[in-house]
Amino acid sequence: MNIMRHSTTAMVALLIATTATAQKTPAYLDPSADIETRVEDALKRMTTEEKVRIIHAQSKFSSAGVPRLGIPDFWTDDGPHGVRPDVLWDEWEQAGQTNDSCVAFPALSCLAATYNVELAHLYGVSLAEEALYRGKDMILGPGVNICRTPLGGRNFEYMGEDPWLTSRMAVEYIKGLQSKGVSACVKHFCLNNDEENRFTVNVKVSDRALREIYLPAFEAAVKEGGAWGIMGAYNLYQDQHLCHNKRTLMDILKGEWGFDGVVVSDWGGTHSTDEAVKNGLDMEFGSWTNGLTHGASNAYDNYYLANPYLAGLRKGRYSTAELDDKARRVLRLFFRTSMRTDRGHGSMCSEAHYAAARQIAAEGIVLLQNKRNALPIDPRMTGKVLVVGENAIKMMTVGGGSSSLKVQHEISPLDGMIAALGREKVDFARGYVGDTTGNYNGVTTGQDLSDRRSPAELIAEAVSKAEDADAVVIFGGLNKSDYQDCEGHDRQTYSLPYGQDELVSALAKAHKRVIFVCISGNPVAMPWANDVEAIVEGWYLGSETGNALADVLTGAVNPSGKLPFTWPVKLEDVGAHALGTYPGTRREGSDIVDEEYEDGIYVGYRWADKHGIKPLFAFGHGLSYTTFKLSGARRTDDGAGGKATFSVTVTNTGKTEGAEVVKLFIRKADDGMDHPLRELKDFKKVRLAPGESKTVELSYEGGVSAWSIE
Ligand code: GLC
């Protein structure tokens, strides 16, 4: 009997096993299988045509999956500050959906100014949840290019002039984003520091400056952030386009750094099938095919990595080795994102996301000057506040290029001040008329900012109204229009546009408590800085702009932002302008513009320190409504090891709770090479109650010849 039972059992077990085998889930569909197993299993099931189809776009923002194998299409979307509204399949115009109004988070220049890596992580998580809800697998961000000129059109999208600050913030943003199964696409790799001539500028830069200034944030994104995507840049380096540049993509990114993710072209950044095949491009987006023999415009099968590549494979011009590498990387991206079954559905426009946007915004606002404690404005005041300026009412979430958004709401500075103080305490004067338009890619603000009055009339109105005000708060600065803080062009002057200087000077003469809030992504010239009481850098803060600004201006939030870039007095104080190398020189008989980064490693405060130039406001500068004292700064290691460690005590010597950023600057050890006097190599943000002290540890992996804690 036993034998019978055993044999029956064995037969049943065999039957189950066979049945199970017959229905066994293929490895590539098994979420419990490791990713590399799934990649290899999917790859071996795919045809050459299917492999080619997944490495180039099929629409404006999507690329194909493998329908036959149940691998879904892959969806990307802009941008670094929020999830862009959907456009038509093959047009930049709006799809006209009514379910894609998002939360606009503050621009990354503001995030950098928080010097708070925990907020960077929160930012990434929040943005990923909005992306998931919108069915997006990859966010085209963060932008981590270094700001080397205050004219940079996209500096508002980047995180300042210092590689260490940019690296720390980018790593946590990426980790937050990818923790939810949404891929980052860190951009624009690399040397994409100008918008002027962005498609044709050929950057010439020393290897040292490349390694010490322009690559570190990308290297940290890959090695520490674990970025799954990198976006090539439009421009050229060593005469080769950066979307298929052998040195940067094959030798450095994939070779030295071991990047296992996907290189995505910038939209329209691909120019050659041969180079794209051989130099490491893995996903081609946004090409125009009228450069190819087919002449069809934007026909996806005519992309450089589409039919031309397929034809080359069939003719034996290309081996399948590169194709399999590209397909593996794209499949790996799928299994990290779209093929996951545990990502959930995210959320959009949640209270948590608005709270995060407001917190990041308020913590990034920088109090630059505050004479006679002009700020904060006490909400219990009995008098009036006069709010002045177009930037008090103009929506800034629309415009600026690809980071433009369609928001569920955007609280203006004026509305924020009214909400905080009460309508009866707030008066408004236009002050100046700048750009009254408000649309991008078919998204319109719906605002009517038209005003036919002359500058003189507008200034006269503001001066007249100021007579009845206890304080005058001017919201000026730049905006997201062409030649301002906007993709595609750089600014053409360091000065404020639209006659703002005259307005500020007139109000400074007429009133003793004038506060200027600069809404911008860049520094600007301030010839009247000594004539006003307070100056605030207000950034582009997104949906919660007005609330965050009012929080800080009324003291509900004690400002703790610090500048992520140097604020020069004049443009000539900046290396690229002092040396006259920006924006470069057009090559004879060519559309190529050669730009030599002659300032080398001396970018931003490194240049100012080297040349003894006093900026209007220094890198890392930012005031508080309380005061802090640093004491007992000392080096705590014996200098023998490779790591230098330091300690300092921070005390809140004022009457208000506040946060201080403690920064370690070092000068590298003498090794025969010239080194900047100071380089930021660590920072910590500490929150202290009045009278409270904390000891902060800081460190640097390397030799040090001098150090300071600021
Ligand atoms: C743009 C930008 C890039 C953006 C892409 C898609 O031209 O350079 O940052 O993500 O195209 O809109």
Side-chain angles (χ1 to χ4, degrees):
M1 197 50 188
N2 265 349
I3 293 170
M4 282 294 289
R5 186 177 295 127
H6 282 315
S7 61
T8 307
T9 305
M11 276 173 58
V12 167
L14 181 63
L15 183 64
I16 289 170
T18 312
T19 309
T21 305
Q23 293 163 0
K24 180 171 171 35
T25 306
Y28 80 95
L29 288 177
D30 177 358
S32 67
D34 81 79
I35 283 185
E36 295 315 309
T37 303
R38 301 179 76 183
V39 166
E40 294 309 317
D41 185 45
L43 189 72
K44 71 174 192 283
R45 296 168 188 265
M46 289 167 69
T47 64
T48 300
E49 290 74 11
E50 286 168 335
K51 292 175 187 175
V52 169
R53 273 177 55 74
I54 67 171
I55 65 170
H56 63 81
Q58 66 173 358
S59 77
K60 268 285 176 282
F61 285 98
S62 77
S63 54
V66 189
R68 182 177 62 84
L69 296 178
I71 297 176
D73 291 351
F74 184 79
W75 282 91
T76 74
D77 212 353
D78 288 313
H81 308 148
V83 186
R84 180 175 181 161
D86 290 319
V87 294
L88 294 173
W89 185 257
D90 187 22
E91 297 299 334
W92 286 112
E93 283 313 300
Q94 290 304 296
Q97 293 167 203
T98 55
N99 65 345
D100 55 359
S101 298
C102 68
V103 172
F105 296 94
L108 294 193
S109 44
C110 172
L111 175 63
T114 69
Y115 282 72
N116 185 334
V117 293
E118 289 163 17
L119 287 187
H121 194 91
L122 173 65
Y123 196 123
V125 167
S126 307
L127 181 56
E129 289 169 346
E130 296 258 325
L132 281 175
Y133 193 81
R134 289 275 306 284
K136 312 303 179 186
D137 304 304
M138 171 182 266
I139 279 290
L140 302 171
V144 298
N145 294 103
I146 291 296
C147 304
R148 50 179 276 111
T149 161
L151 304 185
R154 294 185 81 170
N155 286 352
F156 73 97
E157 285 187 62
Y158 302 148
M159 295 189 250
E161 69 190 24
D162 182 83
W164 180 261
L165 173 62
T166 302
S167 302
R168 295 309 98 206
M169 302 310 280
V171 163
E172 286 307 321
Y173 176 109
I174 294 161
K175 284 181 175 178
L177 196 65
Q178 298 188 164
S179 70
K180 293 287 182 178
V182 175
S183 178
C185 192
V186 187
K187 64 190 187 182
H188 306 83
F189 189 66
C190 53
L191 298 168
N192 185 189
N193 307 96
D194 301 350
E195 283 306 293
E196 219 51 52
N197 314 310
R198 65 172 175 162
F199 300 113
T200 58
V201 66
N202 175 52
V203 172
K204 299 181 172 181
V205 64
S206 71
D207 222 43
R208 188 165 174 221
L210 180 71
R211 300 281 185 172
E212 291 189 24
I213 302 294
Y214 299 105
L215 290 185
F218 289 102
E219 185 172 7
V222 169
K223 291 183 175 176
E224 299 175 65
W228 298 333
I230 292 279
M231 184 188 289
Y234 281 134
N235 52 298
L236 298 90
Y237 165 61
Q238 295 180 339
D239 279 311
Q240 200 168 60
H241 280 97
L242 281 154
C243 285
H244 30 76
N245 186 293
K246 182 184 178 305
R247 174 109 201 277
T248 56
L249 297 178
M250 297 304 286
D251 301 347
I252 297 175
L253 178 68
K254 296 182 176 181
E256 289 176 34
W257 299 349
F259 177 61
D260 72 353
V262 170
V263 173
V264 180
S265 75
D266 199 342
W267 269 236
T270 309
H271 303 274
S272 152
T273 295
D274 275 357
E275 288 191 6
V277 170
K278 297 194 170 82
N279 295 346
L281 181 63
D282 302 307
M283 286 180 108
E284 176 188 359
F285 277 88
S287 299
W288 291 92
T289 53
N290 47 21
L292 285 179
T293 52
H294 307 277
S297 108
N298 229 14
Y300 299 95
D301 286 344
N302 296 324
Y303 269 35
Y304 295 96
L305 287 181
N307 288 351
Y309 185 23
L310 206 49
L313 285 160
R314 286 177 179 144
K315 286 183 206 141
R317 180 184 180 86
Y318 309 114
S319 80
T320 56
E322 290 95 352
L323 176 61
D324 284 346
D325 179 63
K326 296 177 199 296
R328 276 195 181 89
R329 290 172 181 274
V330 175
L331 285 167
R332 191 171 296 129
L333 178 62
F334 289 171
F335 292 121
R336 286 168 164 166
T337 57
S338 55
M339 285 292 285
R340 279 177 55 165
T341 54
D342 62 344
R343 295 193 295 176
H345 301 289
S347 56
M348 194 166 89
C349 299
S350 64
E351 296 79 3
H353 294 170
Y354 281 114
R358 183 166 180 169
Q359 181 185 1
I360 295 161
E363 201 164 318
I365 290 168
V366 186
L367 178 59
L368 294 170
Q369 177 177 293
N370 192 21
K371 291 192 290 194
R372 287 181 284 283
N373 293 325
L375 286 174
I377 294 167
D378 187 340
R380 296 162 302 180
M381 58 180 278
T382 52
K384 263 186 189 285
V385 171
L386 174 65
V387 169
V388 181
E390 181 172 282
N391 282 2
I393 57 175
K394 181 180 174 65
M395 282 182 70
M396 296 289 188
T397 52
V398 175
S402 56
S403 61
S404 179
L405 296 170
K406 177 169 81 174
V407 292
Q408 186 184 52
H409 73 243
E410 178 183 351
I411 309 294
S412 71
L414 177 60
D415 288 343
M417 295 300 281
I418 290 170
L421 299 173
R423 185 172 299 283
E424 70 289 352
K425 292 184 184 177
V426 178
D427 196 357
F428 174 69
R430 180 68 175 266
Y432 69 92
V433 174
D435 184 317
T436 59
T437 64
N439 61 69
Y440 179 80
N441 258 173
V443 175
T444 57
T445 62
Q447 293 186 298
D448 176 5
L449 297 176
S450 58
D451 191 319
R452 306 178 63 78
R453 289 177 290 173
S454 71
E457 288 169 317
L458 290 161
I459 291 174
E461 178 203 37
V463 169
S464 162
K465 288 190 171 184
E467 287 168 16
D468 304 331
D470 286 0
V472 176
V473 185
I474 304 169
F475 291 94
L478 305 174
N479 58 37
K480 296 288 193 70
S481 310
D482 249 353
Y483 296 99
Q484 299 275 333
D485 284 324
C486 183
E487 179 176 334
H489 290 288
D490 293 330
R491 291 160 62 201
Q492 294 180 314
T493 167
Y494 186 48
S495 301
L496 280 171
Y498 315 127
Q500 291 178 66
D501 288 341
E502 289 74 19
L503 169 69
V504 178
S505 298
L507 284 168
K509 284 195 186 76
H511 203 282
K512 64 184 184 327
R513 192 182 176 192
V514 173
I515 295 132
F516 185 85
V517 180
C518 187
I519 305 294
S520 74
N522 263 315
V524 296
M526 292 184 167
W528 34 260
N530 288 329
D531 307 330
V532 300
E533 302 302 289
I535 301 173
V536 173
E537 172 53 35
W539 308 115
Y540 297 109
L541 300 175
S543 293
E544 287 295 296
T545 293
N547 289 332
L549 283 167
D551 285 345
V552 169
L553 295 174
T554 64
V557 170
N558 187 355
S560 61
K562 307 289 179 184
L563 286 180
F565 46 58
T566 302
W567 196 300
V569 171
K570 57 188 187 305
L571 214 43
E572 297 67 36
D573 292 348
V574 175
H577 299 276
L579 296 167
T581 53
Y582 167 89
T585 310
R586 189 170 299 283
R587 204 178 287 178
E588 199 63 38
S590 156
D591 61 1
I592 298 292
V593 174
D594 289 306
E595 183 176 9
E596 180 97 38
Y597 285 9
E598 262 182 46
D599 43 357
I601 59 173
Y602 295 99
V603 173
Y605 67 85
R606 291 169 167 83
W607 175 271
D609 290 351
K610 179 182 174 75
H611 297 277
I613 297 168
K614 186 176 181 332
L616 184 59
F617 303 111
F619 169 84
H621 172 70
L623 302 175
S624 171
Y625 294 145
T626 186
T627 50
F628 297 97
K629 182 181 74 171
L630 299 184
S631 58
R634 61 194 179 85
R635 183 167 178 175
T636 53
D637 68 297
D638 60 8
K643 180 175 180 180
T645 57
F646 306 86
S647 164
V648 68
T649 299
V650 198
T651 304
N652 180 342
T653 51
K655 299 185 177 61
T656 312
E657 186 264 359
E660 180 61 309
V661 177
V662 184
K663 301 178 279 302
L664 170 67
F665 289 90
I666 60 100
R667 182 169 200 182
K668 289 175 183 166
D670 296 332
D671 56 4
M673 292 208 288
D674 190 33
H675 291 291
L677 291 176
R678 292 183 309 151
E679 296 187 82
L680 177 71
K681 290 302 176 186
D682 197 357
F683 59 86
K684 295 272 187 331
K685 190 163 198 174
V686 287
R687 192 162 291 283
L688 298 167
E692 185 182 9
S693 293
K694 279 182 186 166
T695 298
V696 173
E697 312 293 333
L698 298 161
S699 65
Y700 166 62
E701 293 284 354
V704 171
S705 64
W707 58 275
S708 61
I709 294 178
E710 304 173 21

